[in-house]
Amino acid sequence: MKDIDIADLRRITELIKTKHSYDFTNYAMSSFKRRIVRILELYNLTVDSLIVKLSQPKFLEEFLNEITVNVTEMFRDPSFWRVLRDDIIPAILLNHQKIRIWHAGCSSGEEVFSMAILLKEMDILHNVQVIATDLDTNILERAKSGAYNLKNMDLNEKNYIRFQGTGSLKDYYQEVNGKAVMDKSLVMDVSFRKHDLVKGGIFNKFDLVLCRNVMIYFNQALQNEVLKKFHESLFKYGYLAIGSKESLIWCDIANKFIVVNNEEKIYKKIKD
Amino acid sequence: MSKFKFNKKYKAIVIGGSAGSFQGIVKILSNLPEHFPIPIIMCLHRLKHVRNGFVEALSIKSIAEVTEPHDKESIKKGKVYLAPANYHLSIELGHYFSLSTEEMINNSRPAIDITLGTSAYVYRDKLIGILLSGANRDGGLGMKWIKDRGGLTIVQEPSECMIDTMPKAAMGYTNIDHVLKIDQIVQFLKELDKQYIK
Ligand SMILES: C[S@@+](CC[C@H](N)C(=O)[O-])C[C@H]1O[C@@H](n2cnc3c(N)ncnc32)[C@H](O)[C@@H]1O
């Protein structure tokens, strides 16, 4: 593996910041560095030639697709999804007939389909408005198409079984040309949009925000900024779910939330 | 007297292990001097989708509490950390952890190379790397990076390993400082402990 130094990383992030409307300055250093090295190897570039290429808008889009880490699963952490189904969603339903959910950093959509299946099995799919966003346009297209590699379905199926769904994951997809094509009616009402958590504004209010395994790519300063946006995007008593190995306790905004489930990292906004 | 020479103060220990390393890890952790003066960071191959159980199994046997760090958690002395299931564990320049879900490396997530490599970058020559029994090459390059940055490298004696691919890979990549049996590693840690005034 090649190594590049911090000065080179700064040159890259500075250029992107001044030439384009993205800011990677506050991404967590070690994984960002590995991503840059990976891009250099993939395109066979030096840091200097990468910087030249980055001025081209067309390449920038490709760069965004490669710099992001898109690894995801359906029903990742099955116990988390059980808590959503058994505790969180019923609690929201006590106060709201219509529920609004935001998947921030939805990647290729496995999380969105998991949610849709959960809601369908609760028989409330059509009472829920879901917005799914990501920075990476390529991956959003993949999410919209809802077609996955069959070899990933093994793991998804195992997770679904641990989630203890009412049927079988096979009820929700068909095998077409070696792909698992998800039932489109599941995400009929989902709005997939490009949105940048770093530069983007607040666009709606939600009962539940899921942002799992996204902020791990940010440093703490940026996590604080993004958490402020989530706080503003939630109704009072709305819920925020982060990845199972993330934590709110060090954040500026921690006192405006309470822990609802520490194991699954689900928080509730209690102060405006 | 002592066969180990300590010419500087180390700031952290990283341990990598895979198939056949569990017994060795348990022996090391259960014989660790109390209030061990520097953090121990472990990256062990483990079942990807079993989130619970492993850290508890190690904690029961360990002198010091074993925890799985959260993303951006600070690294503290006296603590033993274990890379969580299904995440890569990196060490950042401000002496804290960060997690990521990047592609698997050598079929592994957590990948030992990532934890060892980022530790070497942050702790440079103040790092001790230990690689135990294992069935693939993960960790071999990481040990080379530790050595290249001036750190101290130790592998488990291949003849004692259930599967010796991992330590042998490291020995192929670089000149390992000490090739030791688990009992000797325990002894090494006891002597290291004495270097620190408490
Ligand atoms: C590892 S995936 C997480 C997918 C899913 N939430 C899960 O937990 O499995 C991280 C996603 O965050 C997205 N991302 C990274 N930076 C972002 C930003 N600034 N704004 C929005 N999304 C971002 C990436 O494109 C990627 O799809």
Side-chain angles (χ1 to χ4, degrees):
Chain A
M1 195 172 81
K2 298 191 210 181
D3 203 10
I4 54 173
D5 54 34
I6 298 177
D8 281 336
L9 286 178
R10 292 261 150 79
R11 278 167 64 211
I12 295 168
T13 51
E14 274 308 307
L15 177 108
I16 297 172
K17 202 160 93 177
T18 46
K19 290 245 172 177
H20 309 279
S21 57
Y22 299 99
D23 189 356
F24 292 101
T25 321
N26 287 317
Y27 272 53
M29 174 92 77
S30 55
S31 56
F32 187 73
K33 187 163 96 176
R34 285 195 296 273
R35 285 326 255 184
I36 293 286
V37 169
R38 186 173 161 274
I39 289 174
L40 294 179
E41 283 170 356
L42 216 62
Y43 291 88
N44 200 8
L45 297 170
T46 62
V47 172
D48 290 320
S49 54
L50 174 67
I51 286 183
V52 172
K53 253 177 112 76
L54 275 172
S55 323
Q56 313 162 0
K58 201 161 159 265
F59 181 74
L60 187 84
E61 206 60 29
E62 267 180 68
F63 175 85
L64 293 180
N65 298 340
E66 293 300 340
I67 202 78
T68 50
V69 174
N70 302 125
V71 176
T72 184
E73 306 166 9
M74 286 185 197
F75 296 99
R76 179 175 184 139
D77 305 314
S79 52
F80 164 77
W81 293 93
R82 288 201 302 267
V83 171
L84 273 193
R85 176 191 59 201
D86 300 340
D87 301 340
I88 307 300
I89 307 265
I92 299 173
L93 279 171
L94 284 180
N95 297 313
H96 292 215
Q97 291 254 308
K98 273 245 164 229
I99 302 185
R100 276 219 289 263
I101 299 177
W102 176 17
H103 294 270
C106 66
S107 191
S108 39
E110 279 86 338
E111 193 183 270
V112 183
F113 277 99
S114 311
M115 182 65 84
I117 291 169
L118 177 153
L119 295 170
K120 183 160 186 176
E121 294 186 357
M122 291 181 80
D123 211 11
I124 53 167
L125 184 58
H126 299 293
N127 305 357
V128 182
Q129 188 196 350
V130 175
I131 297 179
T133 64
D134 204 285
L135 173 71
D136 177 343
T137 48
N138 228 15
I139 211 73
L140 273 176
E141 285 310 313
R142 230 177 315 144
K144 278 186 220 167
S145 78
Y148 300 113
N149 283 336
L150 273 178
K151 72 168 178 9
N152 295 347
M153 294 314 277
D154 256 6
L155 172 61
N156 294 336
E157 182 86 50
K158 279 195 191 122
N159 286 346
Y160 177 83
I161 291 168
R162 292 205 184 103
F163 159 69
Q164 296 161 348
T166 57
S168 150
L169 194 59
K170 292 217 164 58
D171 303 339
Y172 301 104
Y173 69 89
Q174 282 192 319
E175 289 187 31
V176 183
N177 298 330
K179 292 257 175 193
V181 179
M182 300 302 294
D183 176 355
K184 286 289 149 48
S185 69
L186 286 169
V187 294
M188 210 166 57
D189 300 327
V190 175
S191 159
F192 289 97
R193 299 183 201 166
K194 174 166 174 159
H195 177 266
D196 177 4
L197 287 168
V198 181
K199 292 279 197 158
I202 287 141
F203 55 89
N204 216 329
K205 285 261 184 193
F206 297 92
D207 298 291
L208 169 62
V209 174
L210 286 89
C211 186
R212 311 188 72 220
N213 304 308
V214 178
M215 286 186 286
I216 52 178
Y217 299 100
F218 303 163
N219 71 16
Q220 256 189 315
L222 182 56
Q223 289 184 351
N224 274 322
E225 290 309 306
V226 173
L227 282 166
K228 274 186 209 145
K229 295 185 189 182
F230 289 146
H231 174 262
E232 258 187 79
S233 304
L234 279 168
F235 291 119
K236 198 169 177 188
Y237 307 121
Y239 295 87
L240 173 65
I242 58 180
S244 63
K245 287 291 161 193
E246 299 170 52
S247 179
L248 270 194
I249 54 172
W250 307 291
C251 300
D252 298 349
I253 211 137
N255 67 335
K256 296 189 174 178
F257 286 90
I258 53 165
V259 182
V260 177
N261 188 313
N262 193 39
E263 187 69 16
E264 306 303 343
K265 297 296 180 299
I266 303 173
Y267 301 85
K268 184 179 192 166
K269 169 172 166 177
I270 50 153
K271 279 192 217 153
D272 278 320
Chain B
M1 264 214 11
S2 166
K3 64 177 281 202
F4 306 111
K5 278 196 294 215
F6 299 101
N7 51 8
K8 64 185 142 207
K9 291 249 151 128
Y10 292 95
K11 289 199 171 143
I13 297 176
V14 269
I15 303 179
S18 185
S21 68
F22 187 77
Q23 294 307 329
I25 290 280
V26 164
K27 203 159 186 186
I28 290 170
L29 292 180
S30 58
N31 286 291
L32 204 64
E34 273 196 54
H35 309 295
F36 198 67
I38 55 177
I40 297 179
I41 302 161
M42 302 188 296
C43 182
L44 309 174
H45 291 164
R46 52 189 294 188
L47 289 174
K48 242 178 71 183
H49 292 95
V50 183
R51 215 169 68 183
N52 299 314
F54 196 39
V55 74
E56 289 81 356
L58 289 174
S59 264
I60 290 171
K61 306 282 172 63
S62 174
I63 297 288
E65 190 197 357
V66 183
T67 59
E68 290 177 350
H70 283 94
D71 179 57
K72 308 295 158 359
E73 184 172 332
S74 306
I75 301 171
K76 302 227 164 75
K77 64 179 182 194
K79 290 197 85 174
V80 179
Y81 299 98
L82 173 71
N86 215 3
Y87 289 94
H88 294 304
L89 180 69
S90 301
I91 287 61
E92 303 282 348
L93 281 172
H95 294 183
Y96 57 89
F97 293 106
S98 66
L99 300 173
S100 82
T101 59
E102 292 150 81
E103 296 75 7
M104 293 196 265
I105 300 180
N106 295 310
N107 239 326
S108 312
R109 186 171 56 229
I112 299 170
D113 278 342
I114 287 189
T115 305
L116 265 48
T118 53
S119 301
Y121 182 75
V122 170
Y123 292 106
R124 301 158 186 268
D125 64 335
K126 305 285 170 27
L127 179 69
I128 299 170
I130 304 178
L131 194 63
L132 306 178
S133 171
N136 76 20
R137 302 178 71 78
D138 190 20
L141 274 175
M143 291 297 272
K144 174 177 159 39
W145 294 325
I146 293 175
K147 180 80 188 184
D148 290 351
R149 294 209 129 220
L152 185 76
T153 51
I154 298 173
V155 298
Q156 186 177 3
E157 171 114 33
S159 66
E160 193 197 55
C161 291
M162 202 154 97
I163 303 171
D164 63 10
T165 318
M166 222 149 87
K168 276 194 170 156
M171 292 163 87
Y173 282 120
T174 188
N175 242 331
I176 295 294
D177 295 297
H178 301 296
V179 179
L180 304 176
K181 297 208 160 105
I182 293 290
D183 283 338
Q184 295 171 301
I185 295 175
V186 167
Q187 202 48 45
F188 171 88
L189 293 175
K190 287 190 169 146
E191 286 181 30
L192 179 72
D193 178 60
K194 291 192 194 126
Q195 307 298 310
Y196 297 78
I197 308 151
K198 292 195 180 166

